[in-house]
Amino acid sequence: MTSFARGVAAENAGRLEEARARYLDVLRTEPRNPAALHRLGVVELRLGNPRDAVVLFQKSLAIAKDLEVYLDFGAAMAGMARWDAAATVYAAALRVAPASADAHYGLAMALHRQGRPQDAEPHYRKVLAAFSHLGEVHNNLGVALQDLGRFAEAAAAHREAARIDPTDAASWSKLGVALHAIGQGAEAEAAFRNALGLAPQDADCWHNLSGLLDACGRPAEALAAGRLAVALDPGSARNWLALGNAAGAARRLEEAWRATSAAARLEPLSPAARNNLASALQELGRWREAVAEYRAALELQPDFPVAEINLAQALSGLREADGALTVLRALLARQPANGEAWRRLGSVLAEAVRPDAAVAVLRKAVALAPGEPDAQADLAMAAAMAGWSTQSADACRRVLRLVPGHAAALGQLVHQQRLLCDWRDLDGLEAQLLRQVRAGAEGVSPFDVLSCASTLADQQSAAARWAAAKARGALTATRPAATVAMAAAGDGRLRIGYLSSDFREHAMGHLMVDALETHDRSRFAVTAYSTGLDDGSALRQRFQRGIERFVDLRRHTDADAARTIAADGIDILVDLTGFTSFSRTSILAARPAPVQVNWLGYPGTLGAGYVDYIVADPTVIAPGEDGFFSERVVRLPDCYQPNDRRRAIAEATPTRRDCGLPEDGFVFCCFNSAYKLTPALFDGWARILAAVPGSVLWLYAGNRQVAVNLRREGEARGLDPHRLVFAQPLPHAEHLARHRLADLFLDTLPYNAHTTASDALWAGLPVLTRRGTTFAGRVAASLLRAGGLPELIVDGQEDYEAEAVALARSPGRLRDLRQRLALNRPVCPLFDTPRFTRHLEAAYRAMWDIHRAGGEPRPIAVTAEDAGGPASAMEGEGESA
């Protein structure tokens, strides 16, 4: 046997040192023996000397171009992760043996590892053309196809690998990844579970399953899978990131923060880890820490659009709109086609109360992604803020075409069509909206439900879901111990805080200013917390002068605002905005005061466990209805609504001609907002006008389209369009003065006149109302009772129409009503603000006494011994509905 043969035998037997010696013996006598050089190179490779092996392979190939040498040489390069060199060697092998499957496979792997999947693909396919039974090659081809974004083809490749070897967990796992990418969630889940049945300790597969379940909206299951992935491989940052995503979706915000923190510790130079950590901090309300982490991510990767958009959102949340706009404009300068950046820019502008600019920007976002419902929804909201109801309604319809069950868009569409008096398909839309509310749909603004034919149960249901959404992420704003001690040792006054966006020229501002000024400062320390615009109006200045402390919180985050209120030691925080424009309900969710109250701004329950009381009266919330209110009901003896005794009425009265009214004829009027008008109500008004020849109906129309639509509706009911007259906006004192030209105010239902009814009565104009079945539909009845005109309250539509016609035909009776109203005005409870404020203060004292005694909030009835006597508070058990 020759030395070479003995070397081969030793090599095959694993006696590598002996094989080396034998091959060296051959090379001493035959230094250019290519076979001996080749085999010695293989031995050196097996002995862990790849560099020596490479030299030997090169020498062998210099003598003879042999395929086997090329293949072993390529494997050596691959073993050293020298993928470029490996590719060169395998390419040379193919020049020697173009049909070599091994060379094609080696070249495919080397190219793939260099990030060249498009070049690797044809070589994988060459191998499979000759050896289609190789599952590993199908899998590698599938990975290359995934890298190329060709997920359907990738799924086919992995499926074939799994067919060839159904016991290969890797094939099933890779198939699951590809199926997930093409949206076949159920099939992907089945593939992952097959893989885990074969390899239950595969952390990567648990990671992939967690991501799939998270994407499918199954956060609890995603969380469980993510926890298993982390337990199996706690050193993997990607596993912690998956757990963080799942925990965030499951609203396990602390766990999400801990998981993303772990990922960032494991990979501190990972921009994705820092971005996800920032998002977790943001969800916890730790906005400034979130901003720092977003900036850290961007330092690691300056061109990181997701982090830039997130940073802008965080800055906007911190009320730093200028900083957010700077970030987004810089991103859009680089990526002018980034629709999400345009969308976020529009949102920031809207949040900064620049709706016109927001609409222009959001139109660009929609143009870039017309099939994106969120951009359309944002455009709808911005257009509504700008007062462009037609554009808002159009955008809502586009959202609903894209997502037919989009509850928020449906609610907004109903409201915008009401604002336009566009009733052509309104009944069907309202019925659809109420079905969604009753089915538990998320995202329906409770305010949009008030003006529908909704029940108290509907309103409570919508409010509860809205309030819960506002509470997400809110952190309790605990009163500092020093503040509590200072309050206990203070002046003995009860500290009342009023939270509102309407300390300005606004209907609510006109109602509440006198009551807030009239508080007994010897017993109550009053602070106004303003979250709205400073419009520079005389009314704004009056609030600032007339209230003991006026604190502007507009540029505070909700969390900072809550901390400010808590630090001030407020005992009772009263929300005057509710679910109306510019509300900041999340401040209440942080519980900055031990007692929290819903009053005046929103005629219904807030549905929130963090609001203790609602201020009402026996008319707006009747006995037996307490169960439909999440708050405990506080009933004042006269009316829940205050009024301003200093409300100015212009001395000069315009002429009827000035206002477009006929010189003669009865003038019915309704200055309510257009959204309170309904087709059924208008039917009744048409019948009233038909029964009173020469009469006209004077309506408020701040939007030109309202007049167009109502004239069309009038013609459809046989009305001469000239019998509808439209009033334009005027300064408040002048608006009150023009009430003198009308004869009777006709109220609306299901949403009554509120401030507009008070305005009419203050100006001396009788109001005819129909009592409704909800708080919003009973306010005018409450006002008329407190104003001494209860006979103008009716219960049915027929009675409403009959009474309107009877009054129009009875000038003497109408004159008597006006005279009574004029005589009542100085003395009636409706306009007796000091009396009202004493009743309100009695309610506050009762609330505080219950709290101080350690009791749970319970219903309160405030009574007065006589019309002007001192108020007392009586506690009682609430009645369930």
Side-chain angles (χ1 to χ4, degrees):
M1 183 181 291
T2 66
S3 289
F4 184 81
R6 290 190 180 94
V8 171
E11 182 185 345
N12 291 339
R15 302 194 303 274
L16 300 181
E17 292 292 348
E18 180 184 344
R20 174 197 273 170
R22 296 296 181 184
Y23 293 139
L24 287 171
D25 284 345
V26 173
L27 289 170
R28 274 192 287 272
T29 59
E30 299 177 64
R32 289 181 56 78
N33 184 321
L37 289 166
H38 173 214
R39 297 318 310 168
L40 179 58
V42 171
V43 168
E44 293 294 351
L45 193 61
R46 292 177 66 183
L47 286 168
N49 303 312
R51 295 185 185 280
D52 293 339
V54 165
V55 172
L56 291 163
F57 292 144
Q58 288 171 331
K59 288 180 177 180
S60 177
L61 289 169
I63 298 165
K65 308 298 186 190
D66 183 275
L67 174 63
E68 293 301 321
V69 180
Y70 276 117
L71 295 177
D72 288 335
F73 187 7
M77 293 292 96
M80 291 188 287
R82 295 269 310 277
W83 299 110
D84 52 346
T88 300
V89 172
Y90 286 123
L94 286 171
R95 287 194 291 274
V96 172
S100 169
D102 287 333
H104 278 295
Y105 193 38
L107 180 55
M109 295 287 286
L111 292 169
H112 200 169
R113 289 300 188 102
Q114 290 181 74
R116 297 164 60 187
Q118 71 280 8
D119 296 326
E121 179 192 355
H123 296 286
Y124 285 133
R125 293 196 184 278
K126 284 280 189 181
V127 177
L128 291 170
F131 301 98
S132 61
H133 65 285
L134 297 175
E136 179 185 349
V137 183
H138 283 289
N139 270 335
N140 286 336
L141 172 61
V143 173
L145 291 167
Q146 287 194 53
D147 292 342
L148 292 168
R150 292 154 57 187
F151 297 105
E153 295 173 77
H158 295 309
R159 189 177 280 112
E160 181 62 14
R163 185 194 66 78
I164 291 167
D165 183 2
T167 65
D168 181 21
S171 296
W172 289 110
S173 183
K174 289 180 171 65
L175 175 59
V177 171
L179 290 169
H180 183 192
I182 58 176
Q184 296 183 13
E187 295 88 339
E189 181 179 353
F192 286 137
R193 295 202 183 277
N194 277 345
L196 290 166
L198 295 164
Q201 303 300 307
D202 187 336
D204 279 347
C205 196
W206 284 113
H207 167 274
N208 291 334
L209 179 60
S210 177
L212 171 69
L213 294 168
D214 187 19
C216 291
R218 294 157 62 185
E221 295 170 81
L223 187 60
R227 286 169 176 164
L228 277 169
V230 162
L232 290 166
D233 186 4
S236 167
R238 68 193 293 267
N239 288 347
W240 285 106
L241 287 177
L243 177 59
N245 290 338
R251 307 307 298 169
R252 299 289 298 264
L253 301 183
E254 288 287 341
E255 185 172 0
W257 166 64
R258 288 193 299 271
T260 52
S261 295
R265 283 194 300 274
L266 287 166
E267 292 188 3
L269 300 182
S270 166
R274 305 301 286 269
N275 175 73
N276 284 24
L277 173 56
S279 296
L281 288 164
Q282 187 171 321
E283 286 288 344
L284 284 169
R286 294 161 62 177
W287 294 85
R288 298 199 182 280
E289 293 172 81
V291 165
E293 289 296 336
Y294 285 132
R295 293 197 187 281
L298 289 167
E299 286 178 10
L300 293 166
Q301 182 180 324
D303 187 6
F304 190 176
V306 169
E308 290 169 275
I309 290 169
N310 288 342
L311 172 59
Q313 183 177 3
L315 290 169
S316 182
L318 285 168
R319 307 274 160 175
E320 295 178 15
D322 290 344
L325 294 174
T326 298
V327 170
L328 290 167
R329 285 170 177 152
L331 171 57
L332 286 165
R334 297 193 327 270
Q335 296 186 0
N338 188 320
E340 182 61 24
W342 283 112
R343 180 184 162 221
R344 189 60 226 166
L345 180 62
S347 297
V348 172
L349 289 166
E351 289 161 8
V353 198
R354 295 172 58 187
D356 293 9
V359 168
V361 162
L362 288 165
R363 283 180 177 147
K364 293 182 181 179
V366 165
L368 286 165
E372 171 52 58
D374 289 343
Q376 301 277 9
D378 287 352
L379 175 59
M381 186 62 68
M385 287 180 65
W388 300 345
S389 291
T390 300
Q391 294 90 327
S392 180
D394 288 345
C396 288
R397 292 188 190 98
R398 290 194 293 271
V399 174
L400 290 166
R401 282 196 292 272
L402 293 166
V403 186
H406 199 296
L410 178 60
Q412 189 173 344
L413 176 59
V414 166
H415 189 65
Q416 296 307 313
Q417 287 199 199
R418 281 188 168 283
L419 282 168
L420 292 164
C421 293
D422 179 0
W423 302 331
R424 285 170 289 188
D425 55 353
L426 189 60
D427 288 344
L429 290 172
E430 284 195 2
Q432 184 182 347
L433 178 63
L434 290 176
R435 283 196 299 272
Q436 292 214 24
V437 169
R438 290 163 189 166
E442 298 282 343
V444 178
S445 167
F447 187 80
D448 294 343
V449 178
L450 291 184
S451 52
C452 296
S454 57
T455 65
L456 288 170
D458 295 331
Q459 294 175 13
Q460 184 182 42
S461 177
R465 285 189 289 277
W466 194 263
K470 296 295 182 183
R472 287 176 191 150
L475 301 176
T476 302
T478 307
R479 296 210 288 184
T483 298
V484 175
M486 184 174 63
D491 55 15
R493 296 188 297 167
L494 199 58
R495 288 167 170 76
I496 310 296
Y498 288 103
L499 178 68
S500 178
S501 64
D502 299 327
F503 295 121
R504 55 193 171 96
E505 186 61 40
H506 186 276
M508 289 299 103
H510 284 286
L511 288 180
M512 63 185 165
V513 62
D514 196 4
L516 270 58
E517 291 171 331
T518 311
H519 269 302
D520 180 351
R521 292 195 179 185
S522 69
R523 298 190 301 140
F524 297 89
V526 176
T527 302
Y529 294 103
S530 175
T531 60
L533 292 167
D534 180 354
D535 60 359
S537 64
L539 188 57
R540 171 74 170 207
Q541 293 169 21
R542 182 177 164 190
F543 275 117
Q544 290 174 321
R545 289 192 309 269
I547 299 175
E548 187 171 343
R549 288 182 70 236
F550 190 96
V551 180
D552 191 342
L553 297 178
R554 180 170 170 251
R555 296 195 178 277
H556 286 56
T557 66
D558 291 343
D560 287 344
R563 281 191 286 269
T564 297
I565 294 167
D568 286 348
I570 294 299
D571 299 316
I572 299 176
L573 180 63
V574 184
D575 180 45
L576 295 164
T577 306
F579 298 138
T580 61
S581 298
F582 308 112
S583 66
R584 299 279 295 276
T585 315
S586 296
I587 296 174
L588 296 171
R591 265 290 181 183
V595 177
Q596 300 192 153
V597 181
N598 168 19
W599 174 48
L600 191 60
Y602 185 76
T605 182
L606 296 185
Y610 45 83
V611 179
D612 305 298
Y613 295 99
I614 181 171
V615 176
D617 60 52
T619 300
V620 293
I621 302 180
E625 293 178 343
D626 294 47
F628 292 112
F629 293 80
S630 302
E631 309 89 340
R632 300 287 77 78
V633 179
V634 177
R635 290 180 175 89
L636 303 186
D638 304 314
C639 178
Y640 85 103
Q641 188 189 95
N643 274 281
D644 178 16
R645 297 164 296 163
R646 294 165 57 188
R647 197 168 2 181
I649 304 176
E651 292 186 9
T653 304
T655 66
R656 282 195 167 192
R657 182 186 297 273
D658 292 337
C659 295
L661 298 167
E663 294 295 338
D664 299 312
F666 195 90
V667 177
F668 295 103
C669 91
C670 179
F671 291 148
N672 283 359
S673 294
Y675 72 85
K676 297 184 180 181
L677 278 56
T678 70
L681 180 78
F682 207 65
D683 289 341
W685 285 351
R687 290 189 289 268
I688 291 169
L689 290 175
V692 183
S695 63
V696 296
L697 179 58
W698 194 14
L699 301 168
Y700 176 77
N703 183 320
R704 186 186 65 83
Q705 192 61 40
V706 170
V708 172
N709 288 339
L710 286 179
R711 286 197 173 101
R712 184 189 66 239
E713 293 290 340
E715 288 178 356
R717 292 162 173 78
L719 280 179
D720 179 346
H722 293 98
R723 298 187 70 183
L724 298 178
V725 182
F726 295 95
Q728 299 304 311
L730 283 178
H732 195 248
E734 296 174 37
H735 169 63
L736 291 176
R738 66 182 168 187
H739 282 73
R740 298 173 183 138
L741 303 178
D743 297 299
L744 180 65
F745 189 110
L746 296 177
D747 194 16
T748 52
L749 201 72
Y751 201 130
N752 279 175
H754 293 187
T755 308
T756 45
S758 287
D759 285 344
L761 295 171
W762 179 252
L765 177 62
V767 175
L768 176 65
T769 192
R770 180 181 162 198
R771 184 180 6 235
T773 58
T774 66
F775 191 137
R778 296 173 179 161
V779 171
S782 175
L783 299 174
L784 286 165
R785 288 189 182 283
L789 297 177
E791 65 266 45
L792 292 179
I793 306 166
V794 299
D795 287 313
Q797 181 64 25
E798 289 185 9
D799 291 343
Y800 174 81
E801 293 177 29
E803 185 68 5
V805 172
L807 286 168
R809 292 173 177 172
S810 307
R813 184 176 164 214
L814 199 57
R815 185 171 51 253
D816 289 345
L817 287 170
R818 283 183 175 276
Q819 289 175 350
R820 277 175 53 201
L821 189 53
L823 290 171
N824 284 347
R825 198 175 84 162
V827 295
C828 69
L830 180 61
F831 299 118
D832 187 346
T833 307
R835 171 190 173 98
F836 173 88
T837 307
R838 299 295 85 78
H839 291 165
L840 186 65
E841 290 173 344
Y844 290 156
R845 278 289 174 194
M847 295 175 199
W848 189 247
D849 288 345
I850 292 168
H851 170 75
R852 191 171 52 186
E856 292 295 317
R858 52 183 179 267
I860 296 169
V862 176
T863 62
E865 293 181 0
D866 54 56
S872 62
M874 297 173 56
E875 300 166 24
E877 293 300 321
E879 299 181 53
S880 298

